[in-house]
Amino acid sequence: MRALFEGSQGLIETAEEFVRLRNSPDPREYRRAVMEEAPFQVWKEVVDRYPEERLWVAQNKTVPLAVLETLIDDPDIRVRVMVAMKRKLSPGLLERLAHDAHESIRMRVARHRNTSRETLESLRCDAWSEVRATVEDRLGGQADVSPP
């Protein structure tokens, strides 16, 4: 019972197990799909064999950056938005997302705490005025004053 309150109960061992947990009507099983780790190969198999589950892979709290990197280019905007919301994104992945065609993803990058100053600077010229305004707020309206 203690593991239930501490978060993870174990390890998701197969792609089929993840899909079953994700689609379970039991809230405890569904929670496992969101909170538990899986080996990289399991995530890769879910992404490759079950494209309809990619959004839920991106939603998992433990999914590795390498998996998120593959989902950055997903054709489904919802998957890319979920990736852009992940706290653990690296500045490099945020830089890639800053070039996404969809303005809501670029807005998430503009607001993300891990976005580098260089990426924010590149978003100063974004096509969407809301992104530009967010960047100006974050940078304080100052030009690039990076150290030499």
Side-chain angles (χ1 to χ4, degrees), residues 34-38 43 59-65 86 88:
V34 173
M35 302 297 290
E36 287 190 14
E37 294 182 48
W43 292 128
Q59 196 170 34
N60 180 280
K61 303 290 186 203
T62 68
V63 68
L65 281 175
K86 300 300 272 189
K88 64 180 158 186

Side-chain angles (χ1 to χ4, degrees), residues 4 11 14 26 31 50 58-59 80 96-97 102 110 112 115:
L4 214 129
L11 187 69
T14 66
D26 181 345
R31 197 171 312 117
Y50 302 96
Q59 196 170 34
R80 297 192 321 271
R96 284 183 54 197
L97 286 166
H102 204 279
H112 200 287
T115 300

Side-chain angles (χ1 to χ4, degrees), residues 130-143:
E130 295 295 319
V131 170
R132 293 192 310 266
T134 299
V135 169
E136 289 302 318
D137 286 347
R138 289 214 43 212
L139 292 175
Q142 300 173 5

Side-chain angles (χ1 to χ4, degrees), residues 39-51:
F40 177 81
Q41 266 317 113
V42 169
W43 292 128
K44 184 174 175 352
E45 187 175 348
V46 174
V47 167
D48 292 345
R49 289 187 46 213
Y50 302 96

Side-chain angles (χ1 to χ4, degrees), residues 5 12 14 37 39-40 43 45-46 49 55-57 77 81 91 98 102 105 108 119 123 125 127 133 146:
F5 296 106
I12 299 170
T14 66
E37 294 182 48
F40 177 81
W43 292 128
E45 187 175 348
V46 174
R49 289 187 46 213
L55 175 64
W56 308 107
V57 169
I77 180 72
V81 166
H102 204 279
I105 292 173
R108 296 220 181 261
T119 299
L123 287 170
C125 300
S146 300

Side-chain angles (χ1 to χ4, degrees), residues 80 97 99-106:
R80 297 192 321 271
L97 286 166
H99 301 287
D100 196 278
H102 204 279
E103 66 262 356
S104 67
I105 292 173
R106 297 191 313 273

